[in-house]
Amino acid sequence: MSVWSPPRPSLRPWLRRQPQLPARRGRGGAAMEGGSRGRDEGGAPSPFVHELRLTGAQRAKFYLLGTVLAPLRVALAFVVLFLMWPFALLQVLHRSGEELKEPLTDWRSSFSHSSVYLLSRLMFFLLGFMRIRVRGQRASRLEAPILVAAPHSTFFDPIILLPCDLPMVVSRTENLHVPVIGALLRFNQAILVSRHDPASRKKVVEEVKRRATSQGKWPQVLFFPEGTCSNKKALLKFKPGAFIAGVPIQPILVRYPNSLDSTTWAWQGPGVLKVIWLTASQLCTTVEVEFLPVYQPSAEESVNPTLYASNVQRAMARALGVPATECELVGTLPVRAVGRLRVALEPRLWELERALRRARWVAGGPLPDGGAETLGCQELAHWLGLPHPEAPEELCAYFQQDMGGAMDARAVRLALQALEGGHSPEELTRLAFELFCEVGARQGAPCLPREGFCAILRLLLGTPWADGAELFAALGGAEPHHGLSIGQFQDFALRHPDYAPLFSTYLCLPVPAHRAPTPHANGLPHTKSKAD
């Protein structure tokens, strides 16, 4: 069984308040517009947002069926899931670690495989997935040792393992400790990656290459190359892991052609329990799996997994009739590509402004000095004069923290100055420079070092550190001890054709931050997160 557990912090409904973003260049060089409601770069629908609107009749139907059908289905499905446990254990019981490093082909493996397959089909049938339509022909393991499936839109997607004859998957090491799921991963001989082991990713790459180049000795390996769930209206950027081996792959398209899309589990939208309840309340849910022809990589693609992944993404997007985007998930932050930078889909100041309003911070008060000292979470709450200093975690998550959880006070001051309103982009970029600059090696003039440049981009745009460092070098800051002058920094932030529109948009608040103190948090109502 495939296991996918993407991190799910809350993403507020920014699309309802997003100003029109300026034109930017697409893949083909044509100008593209972004920023309209529910749409992303190039006018493509935002792949991270799923809005489910039910009519009154649909609500009545779901309440009626949901009170009887959904609980019964879910309970029976869990019973079947637990029944898989002994059959999964049978395959790996009393086998050494060395044995499990090679494909298992004895009678125990065949019996366990058939049992888990039939029980998996029964489990999905009980949840309402009565029809699995298959189009195209699945390639053999010799023709295509790697399978890539998209779009990845729900935790129900492991159903495609059935028409693929239970291929092997890649999962997190932590899932081995989950009851039943851990046994199924061992049964599957899944490739495991650990977030806590720096060498784990290298080992995974080597293992994928070993299995993919075994000349059919190992079963096929299935990847969801987007790496997280989307709403199926556009393809996220493919991660290169499935393409590193440089072998032929078979693309698989996953569709849910139902009158109501109850299965989608996007970044913003219905949560886990609601998706399960809505899906189990439908009389019948259909999934369609289409096997595309095997993709044979060119010589250049075989040695360039990023190019290989991009070309396969475009080919699958054309077959689906949806856009191929550069949107992806970096850590826990959805981002899109603009020039050399990846920037947050939502201006991060908007998120901070809403968090501060929920914490009842009132703009317009005096700000502490912006020295280079650090702040802990409790110190930040005291610094801001919050009436509830016992719960500042939401605010602290916005700022970059060191290993001890401390934040740079300069970043806090810059963010608060931006939220004060009334500052032009010129004033804010100068303030950012003054806060993070240091005396340079050239005639003692102040300059912006790489660390300060990257901190500003992460704070205001949500740009990952690696992207900021690469752009810093391109702007002329690659020489040791030679940072950017105030002129160079403002040319980049205020006059560059690609990046100046970003600063003007991301520094513009959707609503005024100034407001009088009130007994309750004002502004937009709190949107339920997936954890609520």
Side-chain angles (χ1 to χ4, degrees):
M1 299 294 294
S2 175
V3 178
W4 174 246
S5 303
R8 302 294 300 276
S10 173
L11 182 69
R12 308 294 189 250
W14 63 280
L15 292 170
R16 296 191 178 94
R17 308 195 300 168
Q18 185 181 14
Q20 185 69 28
L21 292 178
R24 57 176 292 269
R25 294 288 163 186
R27 290 188 178 196
M32 306 194 300
E33 294 291 324
S36 59
R37 186 178 184 269
R39 306 186 80 79
D40 186 52
E41 54 181 314
S46 171
F48 291 106
V49 179
H50 176 54
E51 296 182 358
L52 184 63
R53 294 188 176 91
L54 301 177
T55 64
Q58 287 173 326
R59 288 180 183 275
K61 170 188 171 184
F62 280 117
Y63 279 119
L64 179 63
L65 296 177
T67 56
V68 179
L69 188 59
L72 179 62
R73 279 180 163 177
V74 171
L76 290 175
F78 268 100
V79 170
V80 174
L81 178 63
F82 276 90
L83 286 177
M84 295 184 203
W85 198 343
F87 295 104
L89 287 176
L90 176 64
Q91 173 162 293
V92 299
L93 196 64
H94 300 307
R95 296 190 190 269
S96 67
E98 290 301 318
E99 287 182 277
L100 295 177
K101 290 181 180 179
E102 297 298 327
L104 304 176
T105 57
D106 58 6
W107 70 269
R108 281 202 291 166
S109 176
S110 299
F111 180 72
S112 297
H113 184 277
S114 299
S115 301
V116 170
Y117 180 94
L118 292 173
L119 289 172
S120 297
R121 183 65 191 97
L122 176 60
M123 182 185 69
F124 281 108
F125 181 86
L126 291 172
L127 287 171
F129 292 88
M130 299 182 181
R131 289 197 292 265
I132 302 178
R133 298 175 184 165
V134 178
R135 299 170 58 185
Q137 184 68 37
R138 181 171 68 94
S140 70
R141 62 180 71 175
L142 280 172
E143 295 173 302
I146 301 289
L147 306 173
V148 293
H152 186 20
S153 64
T154 176
F155 45 78
F156 291 124
D157 280 342
I159 194 173
I160 75 167
L161 270 74
L162 297 172
C164 296
D165 196 28
L166 301 185
M168 295 177 176
V169 299
V170 178
S171 183
R172 294 184 298 166
T173 305
E174 293 81 0
N175 290 329
L176 286 176
H177 305 293
V178 180
V180 184
I181 300 302
L184 290 170
L185 288 175
R186 292 185 179 93
F187 153 82
N188 183 262
Q189 292 186 274
I191 300 172
L192 300 173
V193 58
S194 172
R195 293 182 175 181
H196 309 294
D197 182 5
S200 176
R201 293 190 179 275
K202 183 179 179 181
K203 294 176 183 177
V204 168
V205 168
E206 293 173 351
E207 184 63 17
V208 170
K209 288 182 177 179
R210 185 175 77 90
R211 298 191 188 189
T213 56
S214 66
Q215 300 301 313
K217 182 180 176 182
W218 281 91
Q220 292 164 308
V221 182
L222 175 67
F223 285 86
F224 291 100
E226 292 171 292
T228 192
C229 293
S230 70
N231 62 8
K232 302 190 289 286
K233 296 180 181 178
L235 287 187
L236 305 181
K237 181 179 179 180
F238 280 11
K239 298 184 183 298
F243 308 91
I244 287 176
V247 298
I249 62 99
Q250 183 169 33
I252 303 175
L253 306 182
V254 187
R255 301 183 179 93
Y256 293 84
N258 304 290
S259 57
L260 180 69
D261 184 4
S262 65
T263 60
T264 295
W265 187 53
W267 191 266
Q268 177 186 314
V272 176
L273 295 180
K274 187 173 183 179
V275 169
I276 294 174
W277 178 71
L278 289 174
T279 303
S281 298
Q282 296 212 75
L283 293 177
C284 177
T285 301
T286 300
V287 59
E288 183 177 282
V289 179
E290 181 180 358
F291 293 97
L292 295 182
V294 174
Y295 190 106
Q296 299 287 345
S298 66
E300 185 179 4
E301 289 171 334
S302 296
V303 297
N304 187 339
T306 301
L307 175 65
Y308 193 0
S310 178
N311 289 342
V312 171
Q313 182 211 26
R314 293 192 222 184
M316 295 180 72
R318 285 194 299 269
L320 287 164
V322 300
T325 73
E326 289 292 323
C327 297
E328 61 179 320
L329 194 72
V330 176
T332 59
L333 187 68
V335 300
R336 63 188 179 95
V338 178
R340 291 174 177 261
L341 295 180
R342 288 172 291 175
V343 299
L345 283 176
E346 174 184 21
R348 304 197 71 227
L349 284 176
W350 298 6
E351 180 183 351
L352 177 63
E353 191 257 355
R354 290 194 295 270
L356 284 168
R357 283 193 280 125
R358 284 193 294 273
R360 305 183 193 179
W361 178 74
V362 180
L367 295 176
D369 293 334
E373 72 273 8
T374 58
L375 295 169
C377 284
Q378 295 299 324
E379 292 173 304
L380 175 64
H382 179 74
W383 207 49
L384 296 176
L386 299 180
H388 298 287
E390 69 277 1
E393 289 80 7
E394 186 179 11
L395 299 178
C396 296
Y398 176 82
F399 298 100
Q400 182 72 43
Q401 302 178 45
D402 61 21
M403 296 297 293
M407 297 156 287
D408 191 330
R410 298 173 299 179
V412 177
R413 181 174 176 83
L414 176 59
L416 296 181
Q417 286 282 16
L419 291 176
E420 282 289 290
H423 300 288
S424 67
E426 290 81 2
E427 292 172 330
L428 286 175
T429 52
R430 177 171 289 277
L431 173 63
F433 181 89
E434 292 172 350
L435 285 172
F436 287 92
C437 72
E438 59 185 30
V439 177
R442 294 174 293 185
Q443 300 177 350
C447 63
L448 183 64
R450 182 182 64 178
E451 290 72 17
F453 180 79
C454 294
I456 292 171
L457 294 191
R458 184 195 178 280
L459 180 75
L460 301 180
L461 306 181
T463 298
W465 187 276
D467 292 28
E470 181 182 346
L471 182 59
F472 180 81
L475 292 174
E479 291 295 326
H481 310 297
H482 287 183
L484 301 179
S485 66
I486 179 63
Q488 288 175 307
F489 179 65
Q490 289 197 320
D491 280 343
F492 152 75
L494 304 176
R495 288 175 279 278
H496 193 283
D498 289 332
Y499 306 121
L502 275 177
F503 277 85
S504 62
T505 300
Y506 279 50
L507 291 177
C508 176
L509 293 179
V511 294
H514 289 281
R515 52 179 49 81
T518 58
H520 301 288
N522 289 330
L524 287 179
H526 173 60
T527 301
K528 284 189 177 182
S529 70
K530 302 297 181 186
D532 291 342

